[in-house]
Amino acid sequence: QVQLVESGGGLVQAGDSLRLSCAASGRTLSNSVLGWFRQAPGKEREFVARITWIGGITYYEDSVKGRFTISRDNAKNMLYLQMNSLKPEDTAVYYCAAGGRIGVPPKSTDFDTWGQGTQVTVSS
């Protein structure tokens, strides 16, 4: 079972940038897809972005296209989410996740393992 730990959240101003990190350990990620989700208070968990561990094929939610970039460092077993031009509506707890299915559109049920979450707050 893979284990995931997020870090890098914080309080920023609208228009600022932030990079989230997710450290993976445990079982191999060779056949996995890695993703980021977010959940704001009172709302459903929402897909943000995903990337295949092998090949680095990405998929983004429309609301973050052009602003967020998902990436991974296979040698370091790290997953990243670079967030630029942050907006107040990006405020949420962000979770990294690992799974074995590549759904279209991506769904939370495609992912089996989740990190503990890291809070991102964007003030206006």
Side-chain angles (χ1 to χ4, degrees):
Q1 181 75 26
V2 64
Q3 298 179 56
L4 305 172
V5 179
E6 304 98 330
S7 62
L11 173 62
V12 298
Q13 296 282 334
D16 284 354
S17 297
L18 203 60
R19 189 177 79 159
L20 305 183
S21 299
C22 176
S25 62
R27 60 175 290 273
T28 181
L29 298 173
S30 296
N31 298 313
S32 296
V33 58
L34 281 296
W36 290 96
F37 287 74
R38 64 189 181 185
Q39 187 167 24
K43 296 184 178 180
E44 296 288 322
R45 188 165 295 188
E46 175 187 48
F47 169 77
V48 176
R50 74 174 180 207
I51 187 169
T52 59
W53 194 248
I54 303 299
I57 302 170
T58 60
Y59 191 106
Y60 295 92
E61 179 64 31
D62 287 344
S63 64
V64 306
K65 286 181 180 178
R67 298 190 299 122
F68 291 10
T69 302
I70 188 170
S71 63
R72 83 277 189 263
D73 187 330
N74 291 26
K76 297 180 179 179
N77 283 347
M78 294 291 294
L79 177 72
Y80 304 102
L81 184 68
Q82 178 66 47
M83 304 184 293
N84 298 329
S85 301
L86 283 162
K87 305 174 181 179
E89 49 262 47
D90 295 318
T91 295
V93 176
Y94 283 70
Y95 300 88
C96 64
R101 291 182 291 174
I102 305 178
V104 180
K107 302 176 181 178
S108 61
T109 51
D110 296 334
F111 299 85
D112 304 311
T113 302
W114 298 80
Q116 84 287 352
T118 185
Q119 177 71 48
V120 173
T121 302
V122 184
S123 65
S124 59

